[in-house]
Amino acid sequence: MEGASYQRFPRVKIRELKDEYAKFELHDTDASMANALRRVMIAEVPTIAIDLVEIEVNSSVLNDEFIAHRLGLIPLTSQRAMSMRFSRDCDACDGDGQCEFCSVEFHLRAKCISDQTLDVTSKDLYSSDHTVVPVDFTDSAGYESSEQRGIIIVKLRRGQELRLRAIARKGIGKDHAKWSPAATVTFMYEPEIHINEDMMDTLTLEEKQSFVDSSPTRVFDIDPNTQQVVVVDPEAYTYDDEVLKKAEAMGKPGLVEIYGKEDSFIFTIESTGAVKAFQLVLNAIEILKQKLDAVRLSEDTVEADDQFGELGAHMRGG
């Protein structure tokens, strides 16, 4: 129908929020928008990662390329990534990618002078910008252990040395996985489960227990007071259809109905630490809005070309 509006107003309900973990519900939208948000979080939210390594001295057992690769995969705090320039677009350094507007410089100098093995870790990287540093994975309990000194880059023995200079730049996961801010982003349809109580009453207690046990995850249980099968955790259902097959095998098709709500999704996000989980979601929404604005502008441009023909293209310089 001409003039009809299909605009929707999605709602978000936060369930759990930590620095590196978030779980929330997304309602009143469809799978295309949910999946677009997931893909943007994984591949298009920018972060900062080491992209150029100049080795001055390396007498360790690892070759230069191996160390450079390990450095690139160290997550760096990237709160300012959205405001930084991409090195290819930076006019301050003509795309060289080594100025304060599009890069951050790191230095590492380590030498083992004792018989004890020296662990060179991400905490040995010194940054030219205090806001861009290797992510600190130290346990909040504050226990001293070798595992909490940072991400190990290389181990040195007596007399071995490593000196290098590294340049970190802004990028996105679509270009290389080292720039992806998300360890994992998943969503599932919110399940809706209905039990046919009349049909369930015809089962014996043993049959009810057999039905409950047929689910690989603890979705159902038996109420100790009423001896009725109840849904204890609908979100534990993995859409494996095992309980539906069990019901059919018992000669009770329709004993339970399970379907996913097409406009409700449950998101689970784990960040690498480069960007906090809540900021990852907000940045993804902002980028998604920019992409939709670009599509809208493109449609307006096509309509202008259809209306004004060559004149519209000439006015844009085409």
Side-chain angles (χ1 to χ4, degrees):
M1 179 179 176
E2 186 176 354
S5 173
Y6 297 96
Q7 185 176 8
R8 307 181 76 172
F9 299 93
R11 295 180 295 109
V12 173
K13 179 182 178 182
I14 299 174
R15 290 192 176 181
E16 188 174 354
L17 188 60
K18 300 177 182 177
D19 283 350
E20 296 171 9
Y21 178 84
K23 188 171 186 178
F24 64 89
E25 301 172 12
L26 180 64
H27 300 283
D28 299 335
T29 188
D30 54 28
S32 63
M33 187 58 66
N35 195 46
L37 183 61
R38 181 189 70 87
R39 290 174 64 95
V40 169
M41 279 192 275
I42 293 173
E44 297 194 47
V45 172
T47 63
I48 303 169
I50 291 176
D51 194 40
L52 174 67
V53 178
E54 296 177 353
I55 305 286
E56 298 176 20
V57 177
N58 176 22
S59 55
S60 71
V61 295
L62 299 183
N63 59 46
D64 295 354
E65 292 79 6
F66 204 116
I67 291 176
H69 183 260
R70 290 180 66 83
L71 289 168
L73 295 177
I74 294 174
L76 306 176
T77 53
S78 304
Q79 283 76 17
R80 56 167 289 210
M82 290 288 284
S83 60
M84 277 182 67
R85 304 173 185 174
F86 286 102
S87 58
R88 60 179 177 270
D89 302 328
C90 183
D91 53 6
C93 60
D94 295 327
D96 186 45
Q98 297 193 40
C99 73
E100 60 180 321
F101 300 105
C102 66
S103 67
V104 177
E105 187 171 326
F106 287 85
H107 290 274
L108 187 152
R109 293 179 177 85
K111 184 175 183 178
C112 182
I113 57 175
S114 69
D115 292 332
Q116 186 75 22
T117 299
L118 175 65
D119 293 340
V120 181
T121 72
S122 56
K123 291 195 174 183
D124 294 313
L125 284 168
Y126 294 95
S127 172
S128 62
D129 185 340
H130 70 278
T131 65
V132 181
V133 295
V135 174
D136 184 7
F137 292 103
T138 302
D139 191 346
S140 57
Y143 297 113
E144 289 294 332
S145 69
S146 59
E147 289 78 17
Q148 294 173 346
R149 285 203 61 248
I151 300 171
I152 292 182
I153 300 170
V154 67
K155 292 175 180 282
L156 301 180
R157 295 293 289 175
R158 176 184 280 276
Q160 293 181 338
E161 184 179 5
L162 178 63
R163 293 205 311 267
L164 60 85
R165 170 178 173 267
I167 300 296
R169 296 168 178 154
K170 174 181 176 178
I172 58 176
K174 185 185 290 186
D175 295 332
H176 194 286
K178 67 184 178 184
W179 278 301
S180 178
T184 180
V185 179
T186 63
F187 73 85
M188 63 175 288
Y189 288 99
E190 185 177 351
E192 188 81 17
I193 302 176
H194 296 286
I195 298 174
N196 188 323
E197 299 292 350
D198 294 335
M199 195 176 293
M200 189 65 73
D201 288 339
T202 64
L203 301 181
T204 65
L205 184 59
E206 290 76 14
E207 289 175 326
K208 291 178 181 178
Q209 188 62 54
S210 176
F211 172 81
V212 169
D213 294 340
S214 67
S215 176
T217 53
R218 189 172 179 273
V219 180
F220 305 92
D221 203 354
I222 296 178
D223 190 309
N225 298 320
T226 63
Q227 304 298 313
Q228 295 293 321
V229 175
V230 293
V231 180
V232 293
D233 188 4
E235 292 172 24
Y237 184 67
T238 57
Y239 295 93
D240 46 57
D241 292 345
E242 291 297 325
V243 291
L244 301 180
K245 295 175 184 176
K246 181 64 175 179
E248 292 180 0
M250 297 168 65
K252 303 288 184 179
L255 180 63
V256 63
E257 292 183 357
I258 305 175
Y259 58 90
K261 296 181 182 178
E262 295 186 356
D263 63 347
S264 295
F265 309 90
I266 301 169
F267 273 80
T268 302
I269 300 166
E270 293 181 20
S271 168
T272 62
V275 180
K276 294 185 186 300
F278 81 92
Q279 194 63 51
L280 173 57
V281 178
L282 296 178
N283 289 354
I285 293 173
E286 181 62 31
I287 291 170
L288 192 55
K289 286 169 59 180
Q290 293 174 6
K291 294 170 76 70
L292 292 173
D293 287 341
V295 171
R296 187 180 297 112
L297 179 61
S298 176
E299 290 179 348
D300 293 343
T301 300
V302 171
E303 290 179 3
D305 286 349
D306 291 341
Q307 184 175 359
F308 299 107
E310 295 182 1
L311 177 60
H314 176 72
M315 292 174 66
R316 297 195 320 272

